[in-house]
Amino acid sequence: MNRIAVVPGSFDPVTLGHLDVIDRAAGMFDELHVLVVHNPGKTALLPIAQRVSLLEQSIREAQLHDNIVVTSWSVGLLVDYCTDVGASVLVKGIRSQIDVAYETPMAIVNRDLAGVETVFLLPDPAHAHVSSSLVRQVASLGGDVSPYVPPAVANYLRAHSD
Ligand code: PNS
């Protein structure tokens, strides 16, 4: 049986914390789909296609597991994508009690809707404080985000800063 899992998120932009969770999840399943999803509750910095491209480049450059595919999803429920590709598990990183409170209702609803389970991974402590929103803020104010993001993202943000 081919065990397929999905790591969904905004990835706006992908951080070193995301890459850590993605690689560890890829080691647990036959196939791992990293799914860039539009989150209407957030103001986006990067277009979806750019986030996909930076994820692909970062995964390649960091030489993560080779069973990872990156794609995006903009129409319908996340669990519809899971059903379409035969994935039965979602994987999310959990950094704090705030993440637990945010993720728990979504995990329960996704299981109610389609029987899709959510597995939570604790972060590497080195990345526990890193978030995309922090990266967006530091980058927008001209700060150095290279300790928090893959080189491809740091280069992109540097090249596109005003
Ligand atoms: O990185 P984020 O912004 O915390 O990711 C949140 C995301 C995109 C995973 C979440 O908003 C989501 O699951 N959106 C899909 C819409 C959906 O299926 N909603 C109903 C069940 S929660």
mmCIF file of all heavy atoms in Angstrom, residues 95-119:
data_model
loop_
_atom_site.group_PDB
_atom_site.id
_atom_site.type_symbol
_atom_site.label_atom_id
_atom_site.label_comp_id
_atom_site.label_asym_id
_atom_site.label_seq_id
_atom_site.Cartn_x
_atom_site.Cartn_y
_atom_site.Cartn_z
ATOM 1 N N ARG A 95 4.491 24.376 16.992
ATOM 2 C CA ARG A 95 5.575 25.045 17.736
ATOM 3 C C ARG A 95 5.175 25.419 19.153
ATOM 4 O O ARG A 95 6.039 25.586 20.010
ATOM 5 C CB ARG A 95 5.999 26.327 16.994
ATOM 6 C CG ARG A 95 6.662 26.089 15.665
ATOM 7 C CD ARG A 95 6.635 27.323 14.826
ATOM 8 N NE ARG A 95 5.249 27.720 14.593
ATOM 9 C CZ ARG A 95 4.852 28.692 13.783
ATOM 10 N NH1 ARG A 95 5.737 29.399 13.145
ATOM 11 N NH2 ARG A 95 3.577 28.968 13.633
ATOM 12 N N SER A 96 3.875 25.596 19.394
ATOM 13 C CA SER A 96 3.455 26.163 20.683
ATOM 14 C C SER A 96 1.996 25.826 20.950
ATOM 15 O O SER A 96 1.304 25.285 20.090
ATOM 16 C CB SER A 96 3.587 27.685 20.620
ATOM 17 O OG SER A 96 2.654 28.167 19.663
ATOM 18 N N GLN A 97 1.543 26.234 22.149
ATOM 19 C CA GLN A 97 0.126 26.057 22.489
ATOM 20 C C GLN A 97 -0.766 26.854 21.540
ATOM 21 O O GLN A 97 -1.911 26.468 21.277
ATOM 22 C CB GLN A 97 -0.132 26.496 23.930
ATOM 23 C CG GLN A 97 0.443 25.560 24.987
ATOM 24 C CD GLN A 97 -0.130 24.152 24.872
ATOM 25 O OE1 GLN A 97 -1.302 23.973 24.579
ATOM 26 N NE2 GLN A 97 0.704 23.137 25.080
ATOM 27 N N ILE A 98 -0.243 27.952 21.025
ATOM 28 C CA ILE A 98 -1.023 28.759 20.066
ATOM 29 C C ILE A 98 -1.281 27.939 18.805
ATOM 30 O O ILE A 98 -2.390 27.904 18.268
ATOM 31 C CB ILE A 98 -0.290 30.077 19.736
ATOM 32 C CG1 ILE A 98 -0.208 30.943 20.991
ATOM 33 C CG2 ILE A 98 -0.994 30.837 18.608
ATOM 34 C CD1 ILE A 98 0.698 32.150 20.872
ATOM 35 N N ASP A 99 -0.239 27.218 18.338
ATOM 36 C CA ASP A 99 -0.417 26.357 17.165
ATOM 37 C C ASP A 99 -1.408 25.238 17.455
ATOM 38 O O ASP A 99 -2.222 24.881 16.607
ATOM 39 C CB ASP A 99 0.928 25.739 16.738
ATOM 40 C CG ASP A 99 1.807 26.721 15.981
ATOM 41 O OD1 ASP A 99 1.329 27.816 15.632
ATOM 42 O OD2 ASP A 99 2.985 26.385 15.743
ATOM 43 N N VAL A 100 -1.336 24.674 18.680
ATOM 44 C CA VAL A 100 -2.269 23.591 19.043
ATOM 45 C C VAL A 100 -3.704 24.101 18.959
ATOM 46 O O VAL A 100 -4.581 23.457 18.373
ATOM 47 C CB VAL A 100 -1.970 23.044 20.466
ATOM 48 C CG1 VAL A 100 -3.038 22.036 20.876
ATOM 49 C CG2 VAL A 100 -0.591 22.410 20.522
ATOM 50 N N ALA A 101 -3.939 25.305 19.512
ATOM 51 C CA ALA A 101 -5.293 25.872 19.515
ATOM 52 C C ALA A 101 -5.774 26.153 18.096
ATOM 53 O O ALA A 101 -6.954 25.976 17.775
ATOM 54 C CB ALA A 101 -5.309 27.153 20.349
ATOM 55 N N TYR A 102 -4.866 26.580 17.227
ATOM 56 C CA TYR A 102 -5.215 26.905 15.833
ATOM 57 C C TYR A 102 -5.465 25.643 15.026
ATOM 58 O O TYR A 102 -6.390 25.584 14.210
ATOM 59 C CB TYR A 102 -4.043 27.715 15.262
ATOM 60 C CG TYR A 102 -4.090 28.065 13.793
ATOM 61 C CD1 TYR A 102 -5.077 28.909 13.267
ATOM 62 C CD2 TYR A 102 -3.113 27.587 12.914
ATOM 63 C CE1 TYR A 102 -5.091 29.248 11.919
ATOM 64 C CE2 TYR A 102 -3.122 27.924 11.568
ATOM 65 C CZ TYR A 102 -4.113 28.755 11.078
ATOM 66 O OH TYR A 102 -4.122 29.088 9.744
ATOM 67 N N GLU A 103 -4.655 24.615 15.262
ATOM 68 C CA GLU A 103 -4.702 23.414 14.419
ATOM 69 C C GLU A 103 -5.767 22.403 14.850
ATOM 70 O O GLU A 103 -6.287 21.654 14.013
ATOM 71 C CB GLU A 103 -3.341 22.694 14.417
ATOM 72 C CG GLU A 103 -2.195 23.507 13.821
ATOM 73 C CD GLU A 103 -2.314 23.694 12.309
ATOM 74 O OE1 GLU A 103 -3.183 23.046 11.691
ATOM 75 O OE2 GLU A 103 -1.557 24.495 11.756
ATOM 76 N N THR A 104 -6.085 22.359 16.163
ATOM 77 C CA THR A 104 -6.974 21.305 16.656
ATOM 78 C C THR A 104 -8.351 21.303 15.974
ATOM 79 O O THR A 104 -8.790 20.249 15.486
ATOM 80 C CB THR A 104 -7.112 21.389 18.194
ATOM 81 O OG1 THR A 104 -5.818 21.214 18.752
ATOM 82 C CG2 THR A 104 -8.043 20.326 18.729
ATOM 83 N N PRO A 105 -9.037 22.453 15.897
ATOM 84 C CA PRO A 105 -10.353 22.410 15.233
ATOM 85 C C PRO A 105 -10.249 21.982 13.782
ATOM 86 O O PRO A 105 -11.112 21.240 13.285
ATOM 87 C CB PRO A 105 -10.865 23.854 15.339
ATOM 88 C CG PRO A 105 -9.966 24.566 16.258
ATOM 89 C CD PRO A 105 -8.715 23.781 16.408
ATOM 90 N N MET A 106 -9.204 22.436 13.067
ATOM 91 C CA MET A 106 -9.054 22.052 11.658
ATOM 92 C C MET A 106 -8.829 20.546 11.542
ATOM 93 O O MET A 106 -9.380 19.889 10.642
ATOM 94 C CB MET A 106 -7.880 22.811 11.016
ATOM 95 C CG MET A 106 -8.157 24.295 10.860
ATOM 96 S SD MET A 106 -7.047 25.121 9.690
ATOM 97 C CE MET A 106 -5.545 25.232 10.623
ATOM 98 N N ALA A 107 -8.048 19.985 12.463
ATOM 99 C CA ALA A 107 -7.777 18.540 12.417
ATOM 100 C C ALA A 107 -9.066 17.751 12.636
ATOM 101 O O ALA A 107 -9.332 16.755 11.945
ATOM 102 C CB ALA A 107 -6.730 18.175 13.476
ATOM 103 N N ILE A 108 -9.888 18.216 13.576
ATOM 104 C CA ILE A 108 -11.139 17.499 13.867
ATOM 105 C C ILE A 108 -12.099 17.603 12.677
ATOM 106 O O ILE A 108 -12.714 16.611 12.266
ATOM 107 C CB ILE A 108 -11.775 18.038 15.168
ATOM 108 C CG1 ILE A 108 -10.875 17.687 16.357
ATOM 109 C CG2 ILE A 108 -13.179 17.483 15.365
ATOM 110 C CD1 ILE A 108 -11.240 18.377 17.647
ATOM 111 N N VAL A 109 -12.199 18.812 12.102
ATOM 112 C CA VAL A 109 -13.102 19.007 10.951
ATOM 113 C C VAL A 109 -12.623 18.172 9.758
ATOM 114 O O VAL A 109 -13.435 17.537 9.068
ATOM 115 C CB VAL A 109 -13.200 20.511 10.591
ATOM 116 C CG1 VAL A 109 -13.885 20.695 9.238
ATOM 117 C CG2 VAL A 109 -13.974 21.256 11.669
ATOM 118 N N ASN A 110 -11.328 18.144 9.506
ATOM 119 C CA ASN A 110 -10.826 17.363 8.372
ATOM 120 C C ASN A 110 -11.077 15.865 8.560
ATOM 121 O O ASN A 110 -11.349 15.145 7.604
ATOM 122 C CB ASN A 110 -9.337 17.645 8.152
ATOM 123 C CG ASN A 110 -9.106 19.015 7.533
ATOM 124 O OD1 ASN A 110 -9.925 19.487 6.747
ATOM 125 N ND2 ASN A 110 -8.020 19.664 7.904
ATOM 126 N N ARG A 111 -11.024 15.397 9.799
ATOM 127 C CA ARG A 111 -11.338 13.980 10.052
ATOM 128 C C ARG A 111 -12.834 13.732 9.886
ATOM 129 O O ARG A 111 -13.252 12.729 9.300
ATOM 130 C CB ARG A 111 -10.871 13.571 11.453
ATOM 131 C CG ARG A 111 -10.858 12.052 11.636
ATOM 132 C CD ARG A 111 -10.292 11.651 12.970
ATOM 133 N NE ARG A 111 -11.030 12.273 14.065
ATOM 134 C CZ ARG A 111 -10.570 12.412 15.294
ATOM 135 N NH1 ARG A 111 -9.356 11.996 15.597
ATOM 136 N NH2 ARG A 111 -11.291 12.961 16.240
ATOM 137 N N ASP A 112 -13.672 14.692 10.385
ATOM 138 C CA ASP A 112 -15.130 14.565 10.214
ATOM 139 C C ASP A 112 -15.512 14.548 8.736
ATOM 140 O O ASP A 112 -16.366 13.767 8.310
ATOM 141 C CB ASP A 112 -15.855 15.756 10.869
ATOM 142 C CG ASP A 112 -15.887 15.658 12.377
ATOM 143 O OD1 ASP A 112 -15.553 14.584 12.904
ATOM 144 O OD2 ASP A 112 -16.220 16.672 13.018
ATOM 145 N N LEU A 113 -14.895 15.451 7.964
ATOM 146 C CA LEU A 113 -15.285 15.617 6.556
ATOM 147 C C LEU A 113 -14.931 14.414 5.702
ATOM 148 O O LEU A 113 -15.694 14.013 4.829
ATOM 149 C CB LEU A 113 -14.586 16.855 5.965
ATOM 150 C CG LEU A 113 -15.116 18.229 6.396
ATOM 151 C CD1 LEU A 113 -14.155 19.321 5.920
ATOM 152 C CD2 LEU A 113 -16.508 18.468 5.832
ATOM 153 N N ALA A 114 -13.753 13.839 5.941
ATOM 154 C CA ALA A 114 -13.277 12.833 4.988
ATOM 155 C C ALA A 114 -12.448 11.722 5.621
ATOM 156 O O ALA A 114 -11.807 10.951 4.894
ATOM 157 C CB ALA A 114 -12.442 13.519 3.895
ATOM 158 N N GLY A 115 -12.426 11.665 6.947
ATOM 159 C CA GLY A 115 -11.639 10.618 7.600
ATOM 160 C C GLY A 115 -10.136 10.810 7.457
ATOM 161 O O GLY A 115 -9.358 9.879 7.657
ATOM 162 N N VAL A 116 -9.734 12.039 7.126
ATOM 163 C CA VAL A 116 -8.298 12.319 6.986
ATOM 164 C C VAL A 116 -7.728 12.661 8.365
ATOM 165 O O VAL A 116 -8.200 13.587 9.026
ATOM 166 C CB VAL A 116 -8.066 13.483 5.996
ATOM 167 C CG1 VAL A 116 -6.589 13.890 5.957
ATOM 168 C CG2 VAL A 116 -8.544 13.092 4.600
ATOM 169 N N GLU A 117 -6.734 11.902 8.800
ATOM 170 C CA GLU A 117 -6.113 12.120 10.108
ATOM 171 C C GLU A 117 -5.037 13.202 10.006
ATOM 172 O O GLU A 117 -4.432 13.388 8.939
ATOM 173 C CB GLU A 117 -5.463 10.835 10.619
ATOM 174 C CG GLU A 117 -6.431 9.705 10.916
ATOM 175 C CD GLU A 117 -7.180 9.906 12.235
ATOM 176 O OE1 GLU A 117 -6.972 10.912 12.918
ATOM 177 O OE2 GLU A 117 -7.994 9.017 12.567
ATOM 178 N N THR A 118 -4.766 13.886 11.129
ATOM 179 C CA THR A 118 -3.668 14.856 11.160
ATOM 180 C C THR A 118 -2.605 14.390 12.152
ATOM 181 O O THR A 118 -2.922 14.040 13.289
ATOM 182 C CB THR A 118 -4.170 16.253 11.576
ATOM 183 O OG1 THR A 118 -5.163 16.679 10.634
ATOM 184 C CG2 THR A 118 -3.037 17.262 11.594
ATOM 185 N N VAL A 119 -1.377 14.361 11.687
ATOM 186 C CA VAL A 119 -0.232 14.016 12.536
ATOM 187 C C VAL A 119 0.535 15.298 12.819
ATOM 188 O O VAL A 119 0.851 16.056 11.892
ATOM 189 C CB VAL A 119 0.689 13.007 11.800
ATOM 190 C CG1 VAL A 119 2.002 12.837 12.540
ATOM 191 C CG2 VAL A 119 -0.015 11.667 11.638
#
